Coordinates of all heavy atoms in Angstrom, one line a residue:
K865 N -10.8 4.3 -9.0 CA -9.6 4.7 -8.1 C -10.2 5.3 -6.8 O -11.1 6.1 -6.8 CB -8.7 5.7 -8.8 CG -7.5 6.1 -8.0 CD -6.6 7.1 -8.8 CE -5.4 7.4 -8.0 NZ -4.5 8.4 -8.7
L882 N 1.8 14.5 -0.1 CA 0.5 14.6 0.4 C 0.4 13.9 1.8 O 1.0 12.9 2.0 CB -0.5 13.9 -0.5 CG -0.8 14.6 -1.9 CD1 -1.8 13.7 -2.7 CD2 -1.5 15.9 -1.6
T914 N -17.7 -6.1 -14.0 CA -16.5 -6.4 -13.1 C -15.8 -5.0 -12.8 O -15.5 -4.3 -13.7 CB -15.5 -7.3 -13.7 OG1 -16.1 -8.6 -14.0 CG2 -14.3 -7.5 -12.8
S917 N -9.7 -2.2 -9.5 CA -8.9 -1.0 -8.9 C -7.5 -1.5 -8.6 O -7.3 -2.6 -8.2 CB -9.7 -0.5 -7.6 OG -9.0 0.6 -7.1
G919 N -4.4 -0.4 -6.0 CA -4.1 0.5 -4.8 C -3.8 -0.4 -3.6 O -3.8 -1.6 -3.7
E929 N -18.2 -0.3 -2.3 CA -19.2 0.7 -2.6 C -19.7 0.4 -4.0 O -20.9 0.6 -4.3 CB -18.6 2.1 -2.5 CG -19.6 3.2 -2.7 CD -19.1 4.6 -2.5 OE1 -18.0 4.7 -1.9 OE2 -19.8 5.6 -2.9
L931 N -19.7 -2.5 -5.5 CA -20.5 -3.7 -5.4 C -21.9 -3.4 -4.9 O -22.9 -3.9 -5.3 CB -19.9 -4.7 -4.5 CG -18.6 -5.5 -5.1 CD1 -17.9 -6.3 -4.0 CD2 -19.0 -6.4 -6.2
M933 N -23.5 -0.7 -5.3 CA -24.2 0.0 -6.4 C -24.8 -1.0 -7.4 O -25.8 -0.7 -8.0 CB -23.3 1.0 -7.1 CG -22.9 2.2 -6.3 SD -21.7 3.3 -7.2 CE -22.7 3.9 -8.5
S955 N -1.3 2.2 -16.1 CA -2.1 1.7 -17.2 C -1.6 0.4 -17.7 O -2.4 -0.5 -18.1 CB -2.1 2.7 -18.4 OG -0.8 2.9 -18.8
V1001 N -17.0 10.9 -22.9 CA -18.3 10.3 -23.3 C -19.4 10.8 -22.4 O -19.3 10.6 -21.2 CB -18.2 8.8 -23.4 CG1 -19.5 8.2 -23.6 CG2 -17.2 8.3 -24.4
L1004 N -23.8 6.5 -24.2 CA -23.5 5.4 -25.0 C -24.6 4.5 -25.2 O -25.3 4.1 -24.2 CB -22.3 4.7 -24.4 CG -21.7 3.5 -25.2 CD1 -20.2 3.3 -24.9 CD2 -22.4 2.2 -24.8
G1049 N -27.9 -4.0 -1.2 CA -26.7 -4.1 -2.0 C -25.5 -3.9 -1.0 O -24.4 -4.5 -1.2
A1063 N 1.5 -8.9 -8.2 CA 2.3 -8.9 -9.4 C 2.5 -10.3 -9.9 O 2.6 -10.6 -11.1 CB 3.6 -8.2 -9.2
R1072 N 8.7 -2.8 -15.6 CA 7.6 -1.9 -16.1 C 6.6 -1.6 -15.0 O 5.6 -0.9 -15.3 CB 7.0 -2.4 -17.4 CG 7.9 -2.7 -18.5 CD 7.2 -3.2 -19.7 NE 6.3 -2.3 -20.3 CZ 5.5 -2.5 -21.4 NH1 5.6 -3.7 -22.0 NH2 4.7 -1.6 -21.9

Side-chain angles (χ1 to χ4, degrees):
K865 183 180 183 182
L882 289 176
T914 299
S917 185
E929 185 174 346
L931 287 171
M933 289 176 68
S955 61
V1001 171
L1004 183 149
R1072 298 181 67 180

